[in-house]
Amino acid sequence: MTADALGQFVAYCKKIQPQTQEEIKRFFEGVVGFPYDKELLLQAYLFLNNKNLFPTCAELLLFEKSPIADYTDLGKCDFVYLTSQNKLFLIETKFIDTEATGATERKRRNKHRNKVFEQAITLKHRFSEYWNIKLEELECGVFTTDPEVDWRGNDVNVITKSISIDKLEYWRKNYPIII
């Protein structure tokens, strides 16, 4: 990616998501204090622990926005980070209910597992085409509540991380909220 293309993309991000990293951190800490949505809680965990999960990620550029102008029909990306190597890192998240049992729930889990990878890979390709960025300059990851996905990224060049629902809930209850 040329420095110019990266600069244009970063400027685009600052325009459509002008919040500072500190403002975004306060938003996610609010989610931890009042977790009304499981997916959003998972995203809060990812943002607040990103250095441990995806250490190359340096700055959040976009959250829950389409990186392709205003074409949300082409897909929203949960997170787009600028890395310490001046690459872009796309991360898709998915809260997968691993505690539910039965054939229907197993089928639903598998569908969610497949979908989160499909979303990440599809978005990476659309992103590459739209912004004229080489695929090797785009990294992508998946973060879920299902450890079953951890091995699935190996064959498709997707970095996968997970946290169990129990550990996520323990973290939420013990996160030091400063008011």
Side-chain angles (χ1 to χ4, degrees):
M1 171 176 10
T2 66
D4 188 41
L6 180 62
Q8 286 178 330
F9 179 72
V10 170
Y12 163 78
C13 292
K14 299 245 186 256
K15 187 174 81 177
I16 69 164
Q17 187 135 4
Q19 298 88 353
T20 66
Q21 300 297 299
E22 193 55 41
E23 289 168 327
I24 296 166
K25 180 181 180 203
R26 279 196 302 273
F27 166 76
F28 281 123
E29 286 179 335
V31 169
V32 174
F34 187 68
Y36 57 91
D37 180 88
K38 292 176 179 180
E39 181 85 18
L40 201 51
L41 179 61
L42 180 67
Q43 291 172 337
Y45 181 89
L46 172 64
F47 180 81
L48 296 168
N49 294 280
N50 200 28
K51 284 292 171 213
N52 298 330
L53 296 165
F54 301 100
T56 63
C57 292
E59 178 185 358
L60 180 64
L61 297 175
L62 290 179
F63 169 66
E64 284 289 343
K65 300 243 187 252
S66 173
I68 305 167
D70 290 325
Y71 300 109
T72 52
D73 58 320
L74 296 178
K76 277 189 321 190
C77 192
D78 293 334
F79 292 90
V80 178
Y81 277 91
L82 182 63
T83 71
S84 50
Q85 295 89 14
N86 271 349
K87 291 184 177 184
L88 298 176
F89 199 113
L90 316 174
I91 303 172
E92 284 297 309
T93 60
K94 190 73 174 163
F95 186 95
I96 298 173
D97 187 354
T98 55
E99 296 173 342
T101 59
T104 302
E105 290 303 321
R106 280 194 304 276
K107 189 174 181 181
R108 178 177 291 133
R109 266 195 300 279
N110 207 41
K111 181 180 172 192
H112 286 164
R113 289 173 185 140
N114 292 336
K115 184 176 181 186
V116 72
F117 278 97
E118 179 186 313
Q119 284 175 308
I121 293 165
T122 300
L123 206 50
K124 180 179 179 177
H125 287 277
R126 286 183 178 153
F127 197 96
S128 172
E129 289 170 19
Y130 185 83
W131 289 98
N132 198 25
I133 299 169
K134 295 176 187 163
L135 284 173
E136 54 272 10
E137 294 173 326
L138 280 168
E139 296 180 71
C140 73
V142 163
F143 184 61
T144 72
T145 52
D146 184 1
E148 286 288 314
V149 304
D150 287 355
W151 59 269
R152 290 184 177 214
N154 296 344
D155 296 336
V156 290
N157 202 23
V158 176
I159 298 169
T160 57
K161 302 285 180 171
S162 65
I163 183 171
S164 71
I165 293 171
D166 289 345
K167 286 183 180 172
L168 180 63
E169 191 56 29
Y170 178 84
W171 170 81
R172 182 191 69 78
K173 288 178 181 172
N174 292 286
Y175 189 83
I177 303 290
I178 299 167
I179 300 174

